[in-house]
């Protein structure tokens, strides 16, 4: 292997890793604890599954000036995708929503802000084998 060949999907952000390690754990007795999985540009998260009403939260760090496409596809069942900038979205509070029948959901933002977009995948019906992707 050449020493200048790229390996993996990106370079570890050491400062962010240390920041995350030092973050105090969530205390469910005094706050709402939501697990968030970070999505990376053009790296699919595969094999998603859930039951009717289940919610799974993702985040994506967007850059201004580059269109952003968030999509789900494949698998069985039915999901709805809710998206908001800087805050957790859900069925009663969101900035963008895609709720077509099945698992093919798409949200395109022509001019996203720089910062964190949160993506909530909700099981309209039970689902399995779904893929989520963020492309910028």
């Amino acid at each position: 292997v050449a020493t200048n060949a790229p390996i993996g999907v990106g370079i570890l952000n050491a400062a962010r890793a240390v920041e995350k390690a030092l973050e105090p754990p969530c205390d469910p007795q005094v706050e709402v604890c939501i697990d968030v999985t970070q999505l990376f540009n053009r790296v699919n998260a595969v094999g998603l599954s859930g039951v009717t009403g289940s919610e799974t939260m993702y985040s994506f760090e967007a850059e201004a000036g580059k269109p952003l496409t968030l999509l789900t596809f494949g698998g069985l069942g039915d999901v709805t995708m809710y998206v908001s900038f800087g805050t957790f979205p859900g069925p009663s509070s969101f900035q963008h929503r895609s709720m077509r029948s099945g698992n093919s959901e798409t949200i395109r933002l022509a001019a996203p802000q720089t910062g964190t977009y949160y993506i909530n995948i909700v099981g309209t019906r039970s689902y399995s084998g779904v893929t989520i992707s963020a492309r910028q």
Side-chain angles (χ1 to χ4, degrees):
V1 174
T3 58
N4 63 348
I7 298 173
V9 297
I11 298 173
L12 173 67
N13 182 332
R16 182 130 175 155
V18 169
E19 180 181 297
K20 187 68 176 170
L22 295 175
E23 192 175 280
C26 180
D27 183 353
Q29 293 184 356
V30 295
E31 58 188 319
V32 176
C33 301
I34 298 176
D35 288 330
V36 179
T37 301
Q38 186 173 4
L39 296 174
F40 297 95
N41 192 31
R42 299 188 180 274
V43 178
N44 294 344
V46 300
L48 311 179
S49 63
V51 298
T52 302
S54 64
E55 298 187 29
T56 306
M57 194 72 64
Y58 296 89
S59 67
F60 182 76
E61 296 299 322
E63 297 178 42
K66 295 181 179 180
L68 172 60
T69 301
L70 303 165
L71 52 120
T72 62
F73 54 90
L76 302 170
D78 191 2
V79 298
T80 298
M81 179 169 43
Y82 299 93
V83 175
S84 290
F85 178 80
T87 185
F88 296 135
S92 61
S93 176
F94 57 88
Q95 294 169 342
H96 310 278
R97 174 181 67 187
S98 180
M99 58 182 292
R100 292 186 277 175
S101 180
N103 295 325
S104 294
E105 308 296 341
T106 303
I107 294 175
R108 288 185 178 93
L109 304 173
Q113 301 176 64
T114 295
T116 305
Y117 281 85
Y118 291 98
I119 305 102
N120 190 358
I121 303 302
V122 177
T124 306
R125 291 191 333 253
S126 292
Y127 64 96
S128 63
V130 175
T131 296
I132 184 171
S133 183
R135 299 173 184 179
Q136 188 173 41

